[in-house]
Amino acid sequence: MPEADRDLLVAAAWLHDIGYAPELRDTGFHPLDGARHLESLGAPARLVRLVAHHSGAVYEAEQRGLSAELAVYEREDSPVLDALILADMTTGPAGQSFDFDTRIDEILVRYEPGSEVHNAISKARPYLKAAVSRTLDRMAHQPM
């Protein structure tokens, strides 16, 4: 990760699920609710966009009929978003460390087949796996 983006990545990792907070719930779609809250606080636009688009949010927005609302926040296809996806897709809900496939399977077990999350994660799996692979490749090729 370029040094200039490291603090942004850490902030996005800490804040990406803030939209789950009951007092911030508006649409019930946590990436959008979190992004809107951060935007209302004057958070940097790039941080807001990363929270809005973490972990393939576009797939779940489609399932929920919220694509237009999410599209207000431009998605950046970047090493920072890829690294945020890696962090989210290798960490369980209680902070457990998982490999990618185990984490995806854990999500699919937690959410009922046919639910928005189950459907979205199933569709997003190739996109998420590619982001994780790109990040691991970048990490493997960085000089120590």
Side-chain angles (χ1 to χ4, degrees):
M1 184 63 47
E3 189 170 338
D5 290 333
R6 291 177 189 165
D7 287 343
L8 174 65
L9 174 59
V10 170
W14 275 104
L15 294 170
H16 75 280
D17 280 345
I18 194 170
Y20 278 124
E23 60 272 15
L24 302 182
R25 185 182 173 97
D26 179 34
T27 67
F29 179 43
H30 79 277
L32 184 57
D33 292 343
R36 286 176 172 176
H37 175 69
L38 292 172
E39 186 175 47
S40 77
L41 296 177
R46 197 164 171 215
L47 174 61
V48 171
R49 292 191 306 265
L50 286 167
V51 168
H53 286 283
H54 77 274
S55 300
V58 67
Y59 292 89
E60 190 174 340
E62 181 181 303
Q63 292 291 313
R64 293 178 177 271
L66 293 169
S67 295
E69 291 85 344
L70 184 64
V72 168
Y73 304 102
E74 183 180 352
R75 184 179 76 198
E76 68 172 71
D77 291 313
S78 71
V80 178
L81 182 59
D82 284 352
L84 181 58
I85 291 169
L86 169 74
D88 195 20
M89 292 294 114
T90 59
T91 305
Q96 317 92 306
S97 182
F98 289 134
D99 64 43
F100 173 78
D101 288 316
T102 302
R103 171 69 164 134
I104 294 293
D105 291 344
E106 178 274 323
I107 294 168
L108 294 175
V109 166
R110 261 191 306 131
Y111 291 91
E112 183 177 319
S115 70
E116 290 96 347
V117 174
H118 194 281
N119 291 343
I121 287 294
S122 296
K123 286 184 178 183
R125 191 175 198 148
Y127 164 77
L128 298 171
K129 187 172 186 84
V132 167
S133 295
R134 286 189 298 269
T135 303
L136 292 174
D137 187 57
R138 286 181 191 105
M139 291 169 62
H141 292 93
Q142 288 299 311
M144 293 285 187

